[in-house]
Each structure stands twice: as structure tokens, then as C-alpha cells.
Amino acid sequence: MTNIAVLVSGRGSNLQAIIDSIESGYLKSRIAVVISDVGDAYALTRAKKHGIEAIFVNPKKFASKELYEKEILGVLKTHNIKLVLLAGYMRILGKTLLEAYKNRILNIHPALLPAFTGLHAQKQAFDHGVKVAGCTVHFVDEILDCGPIILQRCVEVKEDDTDETLADRILEQEHKIYPEAVKLFVENRLRIEGRKVKVIKS
Ligand code: GRF
């Protein structure tokens, strides 16, 4: 059983989707720990409700990103973590975590990468006037929202959409493709070849 850690900063609806997928038996893995950089993140409450260890690591207590990530790394090692999921984690990862967990960190982004990286991606896409928006699960590397793409899903933009209604429909798809991508990872069916990720048939 793959031990997973989920890093969060906010409401944790993607965390919830992963929890639900495990509880339903779709995902054969275990969330060993949820770590937040925000003390009152609702994601921490969600984790506790499901009996998952939930830890706030306060970045302000550390003099540098390296020291902060070393603390997180200690938690990951203690829990024998094999896969790290970023789920609304609002920090750019540094070398410490990226090197220790190379090709074992996934992220969900609410746009069809490589378009609309960074913050408020749904609004960026909406304001740009796209007809098709969507979401992406990808491996995390040193460049923001840039690592090899595992899964993407499209969402059509409707005439009467606002950036918020669009974001809601993208989120519904996020909750589907994140568990799907995690399943592929834990079943060892992903092969990174340069920028491409090959999915091995089951
Ligand atoms: C999601 O839209 C995700 O794609 C982005 O941050 C948001 C987190 O939402 N990276 P939640 O905390 O999972 O509800």
C-alpha cells in the first residue's frame, strides 16, 4: 500500500476527492499525513474528520525555504511517504523536496497547461476568451506548473459562464482526474520519457 502525503493551503476539496477515492476502494493507498502551511486551512479539518494525521508546519518559524522544507522532509520520512500530492498548496517547491522526491510529486492545476500557469488560472483563461478550458495533473519539477503532463480534461466555456461558474465546472473535473492520475501512479503505470508521460495499459 502506497503511503501518500498531501500538501495543502486551503479548503482541500481535492484532498477530499482523494480521501473519498480511497474510502470507496477505487484507490488502493493510504494518506499517511496531510501537511499545511496555513494554520486554519479547512483541509486540516477534513483530514482529521477522516482520522488522518494533519500537521501545520508554520513557514514563519523557519529562516529559509530550505530549513522549512527540511522540516517537511522529516515528516515525510517519518511516515515512509512514497508519493507527495500538492492539492492547492500555495508555495513553489524548492530543491530540498524536489530532489528528495524526484518524479514522486504530483500537482493539480486548473487550466490546460502549458496555458495559464500560476494564480487564478481559471480567470486568466476566462478573461482570455477561451472556448475550452480544463485542468491538468502533472509531475512537479523546478519550473512552476511545467512538469510532464499525466492527465488533462477539457471543460467547454458556455456563453453565460462567469469565471466563477467556469471554475466550479473545472473543479468537478479536477476531482475526477486527480484520483485517476494517483491510481495510475500507485499502480506503477506511468513512465516519464522526456516531456512525455506514457501510460502503461493495465
Ligand atoms: C484547485 O483549483 C487546484 O487546481 C489549485 O488550487 C485549487 C485548490 O482547491 N491548484 P482545493 O483546496 O483542492 O479545494
Side-chain angles (χ1 to χ4, degrees):
M1 188 96 75
T2 308
N3 273 342
I4 297 175
V6 186
L7 269 55
V8 296
S9 301
R11 67 187 166 180
S13 70
N14 278 287
L15 165 68
Q16 189 69 55
I18 302 293
I19 293 173
D20 293 346
S21 302
I22 291 172
E23 291 187 349
S24 74
Y26 174 76
L27 269 179
K28 307 258 178 295
S29 10
R30 169 176 172 262
I31 300 179
V33 67
V34 170
I35 302 171
S36 175
D37 64 334
V38 174
D40 61 356
Y42 185 61
L44 290 172
T45 308
R46 290 186 195 263
K48 286 178 201 151
K49 277 188 185 168
H50 290 266
I52 299 167
E53 189 172 341
I55 303 176
F56 166 45
V57 183
N58 187 350
K60 293 195 183 113
K61 283 195 176 163
F62 300 88
S64 65
K65 179 183 282 229
E66 189 185 346
L67 289 172
Y68 172 66
E69 289 199 343
K70 276 191 173 155
E71 178 72 19
I72 292 181
L73 197 53
V75 176
L76 300 180
K77 296 286 177 201
T78 307
H79 289 82
N80 194 21
I81 296 301
K82 296 290 181 250
L83 170 66
V84 177
L85 303 179
L86 308 185
Y89 182 66
M90 300 302 285
R91 274 166 201 277
I92 295 172
L93 294 196
K95 266 194 177 171
T96 308
L97 285 176
L98 286 172
E99 283 173 7
Y101 278 88
K102 190 171 165 53
N103 297 338
R104 285 189 289 152
I105 307 176
L106 310 188
N107 181 45
I108 177 102
H109 182 73
L112 294 172
L113 292 173
F116 309 118
T117 59
L119 289 177
H120 312 300
Q122 308 95 322
K123 184 167 175 5
Q124 288 185 54
F126 182 78
D127 290 348
H128 195 84
V130 301
K131 300 294 185 192
V132 178
C135 48
T136 305
V137 181
H138 63 95
F139 284 100
V140 175
D141 64 13
E142 56 288 344
I143 304 171
L144 180 70
D145 299 329
C146 189
I149 291 169
I150 301 169
L151 288 178
Q152 293 189 299
R153 196 121 318 146
C154 297
V155 172
E156 267 187 49
V157 182
K158 296 180 182 164
E159 284 299 321
D160 59 353
D161 262 331
T162 63
D163 59 320
E164 280 161 6
T165 58
L166 178 62
D168 287 346
R169 291 210 311 292
I170 293 172
L171 192 64
E172 278 173 27
Q173 297 307 316
E174 292 182 40
H175 297 162
K176 291 181 183 159
I177 64 167
Y178 215 177
E180 285 174 27
V182 172
K183 187 176 170 75
L184 292 172
F185 184 98
V186 300
E187 290 179 353
N188 194 22
R189 289 169 56 199
L190 299 176
R191 300 286 177 275
I192 302 177
E193 294 176 5
R195 273 224 51 88
K196 301 206 177 100
V197 179
K198 271 211 172 134
V199 177
I200 312 285
K201 288 210 175 99
S202 58

